[in-house]
Amino acid sequence: MFSCNTSSSGHSTFLLTGFPGLEASHHWVSIPINLICVVSIMGNSIILFLIRTDPALHEPMYIFLSMLASSDLVLCASTFPTMVQLFWLGARELPFDLCAAQMFFIHAFTYVESGVLLAMAFDRFVAIRDPLHYAIILTHSAMAKAGAAILVRAILLNLPGPILLRQLLFPQISVLSHCYCLHCDLVGLACSDTQVNSLVGLVSILLSLGLDSFLIMLSYALILRTVLGIASPGERLKALNTCVSHLCIVLIFYLPKLGLSVLHRVEKHSYPALAVLMANLHFLVPPFMNPIVYCIKSKQIRQGLLKRFQQKRVDVS
């Protein structure tokens, strides 16, 4: 970080950071990252198209999946431009306003994704615990309200961040730890007192990722309790199998974040390139893997995809 003697408020420039020690090979290193971004955008767009156009997929589980795909697309759109700017154009500078806007969208839609995963856990719990009233509980109106509540919560929890950051003093030029802007990174670069910012950030995480992860674990504990009460081993396996896809994407979402947190506290300075790679992957892997997991595990998604390809072949013929 540059000297705080030349600090200014709201007019700072932030420098994006790629892979330390590999600056000369950024073009080559970024190829797999860019491919992951492109595949993520295509995969989630296909999922949204299939769910929108196939009436057989207008069920609660797939409507929640469409919400997840939408949040993944926004996350890709939030992080991809600065990756291209840094790795392909070699431009590191990012003004404060753009940095704060990117930070808001990244954190807000990470919270949206977390909230949707919680809603999907509740969906699986209701489907297993009370299948006869499943359609009555999870109506389209209820799902729309849940989606709106998830979005409003994400916006309200993240609005104070950029507003409070604007009150801080920064060096005229600051070096970021990643190729995108995060709240904890910006707070660490500030020259003035950041206790309020740190507290707001902590409360925001606890009321989103912390609360959601706890409720997801509680949902699965209740699901396991319900499944163990089923007499038939075959029915138990069938009930658990309906949760596999969701459990996979929950692990894909939370485990990279846990790994990055541990790495930042243990070996961040010893292996800076590894820390940057993990920081990129923890945003890139969930949007990349979510469509793949559901295409592999969901028979309805596979059938919808196959139907579209067959229609395309008939039209071409």
Side-chain angles (χ1 to χ4, degrees), residues 185-240:
D185 205 3
L186 293 179
V187 169
L189 293 171
C191 300
S192 45
D193 182 40
T194 59
Q195 286 186 355
V196 174
N197 301 74
S198 298
L199 180 61
V200 167
L202 177 61
V203 170
S204 174
I205 290 173
L206 290 176
L207 292 178
S208 55
L209 302 180
L211 180 62
D212 291 347
S213 59
F214 171 75
L215 292 176
I216 288 171
M217 287 189 291
L218 179 61
S219 297
Y220 271 99
L222 294 173
I223 287 171
L224 189 59
R225 179 184 173 187
T226 302
V227 168
L228 291 176
I230 300 174
S232 169
E235 290 298 317
R236 287 182 195 173
L237 187 61
K238 184 179 178 181
L240 286 174

Side-chain angles (χ1 to χ4, degrees), residues 35 60-61 77 114 132 147 149 187 196 201 231 252 263 270:
L35 283 175
M61 181 173 71
S114 177
L132 295 178
V187 169
V196 174
I252 288 168
L263 186 65
S270 301

Side-chain angles (χ1 to χ4, degrees), residues 15 34-35 42 52 68 76 104 106 122 144 161 167 170 181 184-185 199 217 233 269 279 313:
L15 301 181
N34 291 331
L35 283 175
M42 290 178 60
R52 180 179 176 81
L68 189 70
C76 288
F104 173 80
I106 287 176
F122 178 73
Q167 313 305 316
F170 291 92
C181 301
C184 58
D185 205 3
L199 180 61
M217 287 189 291
H269 300 293
R313 288 178 62 182

Side-chain angles (χ1 to χ4, degrees), residues 8-297:
S8 58
S9 178
H11 300 285
S12 302
T13 298
F14 295 92
L15 301 181
L16 303 168
T17 297
F19 294 92
L22 300 174
E23 287 80 4
S25 306
H26 267 176
H27 284 83
W28 297 106
V29 173
S30 67
I31 288 175
I33 293 178
N34 291 331
L35 283 175
I36 289 173
C37 284
V38 171
V39 172
S40 300
I41 292 169
M42 290 178 60
N44 285 288
S45 298
I46 290 171
I47 291 288
L48 277 176
F49 175 75
L50 287 175
I51 294 172
R52 180 179 176 81
T53 57
D54 191 344
L57 297 177
H58 293 175
E59 298 178 5
M61 181 173 71
Y62 298 108
I63 292 174
F64 284 131
L65 178 59
S66 70
M67 295 180 189
L68 189 70
S70 300
S71 65
D72 283 338
L73 285 173
V74 176
L75 278 174
C76 288
S78 300
T79 55
F80 195 35
T82 50
M83 290 182 182
V84 172
Q85 175 184 329
L86 175 64
F87 293 132
W88 289 98
L89 303 180
R92 298 183 63 192
E93 296 83 7
L94 201 66
F96 175 84
D97 289 337
L98 281 180
C99 194
Q102 184 188 49
M103 178 203 76
F104 173 80
F105 281 104
I106 287 176
H107 287 296
F109 281 90
T110 298
Y111 293 178
V112 167
E113 185 157 350
S114 177
V116 172
L117 290 177
L118 173 59
M120 294 173 83
F122 178 73
D123 166 79
R124 291 299 84 208
F125 170 67
V126 173
I128 293 172
R129 181 69 179 269
D130 197 2
L132 295 178
H133 296 93
Y134 178 70
I136 298 173
I137 296 172
L138 288 170
T139 62
H140 286 276
S141 173
M143 288 183 291
K145 289 175 183 177
I150 289 168
L151 182 60
V152 169
R153 182 192 69 164
I155 292 172
L156 291 179
L157 287 177
N158 282 282
L159 268 181
I163 295 171
L164 291 172
L165 281 173
R166 187 165 284 279
Q167 313 305 316
L168 300 179
L169 296 176
F170 291 92
Q172 288 184 350
I173 300 177
S174 303
V175 180
L176 298 168
S177 302
H178 311 296
C179 57
Y180 44 79
C181 301
L182 297 178
H183 182 262
C184 58
D185 205 3
L186 293 179
V187 169
L189 293 171
C191 300
S192 45
D193 182 40
T194 59
Q195 286 186 355
V196 174
N197 301 74
S198 298
L199 180 61
V200 167
L202 177 61
V203 170
S204 174
I205 290 173
L206 290 176
L207 292 178
S208 55
L209 302 180
L211 180 62
D212 291 347
S213 59
F214 171 75
L215 292 176
I216 288 171
M217 287 189 291
L218 179 61
S219 297
Y220 271 99
L222 294 173
I223 287 171
L224 189 59
R225 179 184 173 187
T226 302
V227 168
L228 291 176
I230 300 174
S232 169
E235 290 298 317
R236 287 182 195 173
L237 187 61
K238 184 179 178 181
L240 286 174
N241 193 47
T242 63
C243 300
V244 171
S245 299
H246 178 256
L247 192 56
C248 286
I249 60 175
V250 166
L251 294 175
I252 288 168
F253 180 78
Y254 283 104
L255 286 182
K257 287 175 172 50
L258 181 62
L260 181 64
S261 178
V262 171
L263 186 65
H264 268 265
R265 284 161 176 77
V266 179
E267 294 290 350
K268 177 183 176 182
H269 300 293
S270 301
Y271 303 100
L274 178 61
V276 172
L277 178 63
M278 283 291 294
N280 286 320
L281 289 180
H282 103 284
F283 280 121
L284 295 175
V285 169
F288 175 73
M289 289 301 300
N290 290 348
I292 294 174
V293 168
Y294 269 92
C295 283
I296 292 173
K297 293 299 298 179

